[in-house]
Amino acid sequence: MKSGFQGMRSLAMGLAAGAMSAFWGASAFAEDLMGQPTPGAIDLQPGVTPLKHDAIFFHNAILLPIITAITLFVLGLLIYVMVKFNKRANPVPAKWSHNTAIEVVWTLVPVLILVFIAIFSFKLLFAYHDMPKPDLTVKATGYQWYWGYEYPDQKISEFVSNVLPEDKAKAKGVPYRLAATEPLVVPVGKTVRVLVTGADVIHAFAVPAFGVIIDAIPGRVNETWFKIEKPGVYYGSCRELCGVDHAFMPIEVHAVSDAEFAAWVASKHGTMAAPTPTQVSAEVQGTGAAAPSAAAAGQPAAATAPENPAAPAGATPSPTSATNTTAAPQAPAAH
């Protein structure tokens, strides 16, 4: 019996070692793709926002070690009990019950563990709801089955973003059912507020690389925010089972420079929002230039600030670009 148990223990240890090697080997050889799922990869998608970095830390440094320790501890207890207190090893059962010290420990320790987790959990939850002053506002409306985007600050009326057809996705070398016909374009390094609602049923706006997911509920406007650290293309999707074509309403976000964003706004016949006095003051201090005097300009100094610090030098907004008169495209046909 003893030799048989030792053989089983050796086998279990070998299997555990093999599993750990496979785990770390897979995670080491799988090169994570930025902004989209990586086939065969382990772990969360790489983050490009402060919120996602905090969420990854909470998962990898707090939750995962605690869960692993608890799982291994419970497994050890189960193996110990099965070996020491089975009928063959212990034919005469003990008559005692209730151990006050053990009962206090197994009640108090889980409470302390939960309190420890709650400290980091509440901090992360607060960060998600404590939105900084936004530099840009986007309204995202979920439809069956596509997204509509609107930029109220830039006076860009709603345009529709459908799933990119499979043949076009393959031709462009982009992931099918993640790529969209009209991407959401935002500037890098700016705080973007997203107002999310639904037009028919409950949808959900989610971009894993940003660490954001929020429901789009008809008759209600929810909000979330993100601040992208590096330019690139990032994909998301609806995360609610909103109907038969639920898998055909992706989210594609292009994070671009300020100049590229200004050019995109112009292509949509929108207008760049005027800078705030704080932004103007910061720019003047950063360039070392003196602000024009009110007497020289014949008007308040704030009124002579540059119209669009993010736009390319020499760019002049078109008089006809104040409003977007382009009609939104029709909804896609059922797949």
Side-chain angles (χ1 to χ4, degrees):
M1 177 65 184
K2 184 176 180 180
S3 60
F5 174 72
Q6 290 178 347
M8 293 177 60
R9 183 173 60 181
S10 301
L11 178 61
M13 292 178 63
L15 291 175
M20 290 299 294
S21 299
F23 177 86
W24 293 113
S27 60
F29 288 107
E31 183 179 356
D32 289 330
L33 300 176
M34 187 62 68
Q36 60 180 292
T38 302
I42 298 174
D43 202 0
L44 304 173
Q45 284 192 29
V48 293
T49 66
L51 290 179
K52 185 57 182 286
H53 294 320
D54 292 342
I56 291 176
F57 170 81
F58 179 58
H59 177 269
N60 290 352
I62 304 299
L63 293 182
L64 199 57
I66 292 176
I67 293 172
T68 303
I70 292 175
T71 302
L72 294 177
F73 177 70
V74 173
L75 177 62
L77 285 180
L78 288 175
I79 294 176
Y80 176 78
V81 170
M82 287 186 293
V83 172
K84 182 163 182 154
F85 298 106
N86 63 69
K87 184 177 180 180
R88 184 176 302 170
N90 190 34
V92 180
K95 300 296 184 181
W96 58 271
S97 64
H98 299 291
N99 186 302
T100 303
I102 291 180
E103 291 178 1
V104 170
V105 169
W106 76 37
T107 302
L108 186 60
V109 170
V111 171
L112 295 178
I113 292 175
L114 292 177
V115 170
F116 177 77
I117 293 175
I119 294 174
F120 297 92
S121 178
F122 290 158
K123 182 179 179 181
L124 181 61
L125 189 63
F126 181 80
Y128 268 86
H129 289 83
D130 186 30
M131 183 189 313
K133 183 178 179 181
D135 300 305
L136 174 69
T137 298
V138 176
K139 182 181 179 183
T141 304
Y143 299 91
Q144 287 183 315
W145 289 271
Y146 56 96
W147 290 96
Y149 300 127
E150 180 181 352
Y151 290 69
D153 295 340
Q154 287 70 34
K155 297 181 175 58
I156 300 177
S157 59
E158 185 178 76
F159 59 91
V160 168
S161 179
N162 297 321
V163 61
L164 192 66
E166 186 173 7
D167 55 342
K168 293 184 179 180
K170 290 182 177 179
K172 295 178 64 175
V174 294
Y176 175 53
R177 294 194 184 180
L178 286 178
T181 56
E182 286 280 353
L184 188 66
V185 181
V186 295
V188 172
K190 304 294 184 180
T191 300
V192 180
R193 173 176 58 183
V194 186
L195 304 178
V196 183
T197 188
D200 32 48
V201 299
I202 297 178
H203 303 275
F205 183 91
V207 183
F210 302 165
V212 297
I213 176 171
I214 191 166
D215 283 340
I217 303 174
R220 178 186 177 94
V221 178
N222 292 326
E223 68 175 8
T224 186
W225 70 278
F226 54 82
K227 186 176 182 181
I228 307 174
E229 299 170 342
K230 58 179 68 174
V233 180
Y234 306 98
Y235 297 101
S237 60
C238 173
R239 294 301 175 90
E240 292 287 352
L241 297 177
C242 57
V244 64
D245 280 349
H246 159 70
F248 293 90
M249 52 182 304
I251 300 168
E252 180 177 347
V253 182
H254 288 196
V256 299
S257 65
D258 289 345
E260 291 172 315
F261 179 70
W264 179 84
V265 169
S267 70
K268 288 292 184 182
H269 307 289
T271 57
M272 293 297 295
T276 63
T278 303
Q279 292 174 325
V280 174
S281 176
E283 289 175 0
V284 170
Q285 294 176 2
T287 57
S293 63
Q299 56 184 346
T304 62
E307 294 183 2
N308 176 22
T316 304
S318 172
T320 61
S321 64
T323 57
N324 181 7
T325 58
T326 305
Q330 298 296 321
H335 294 274

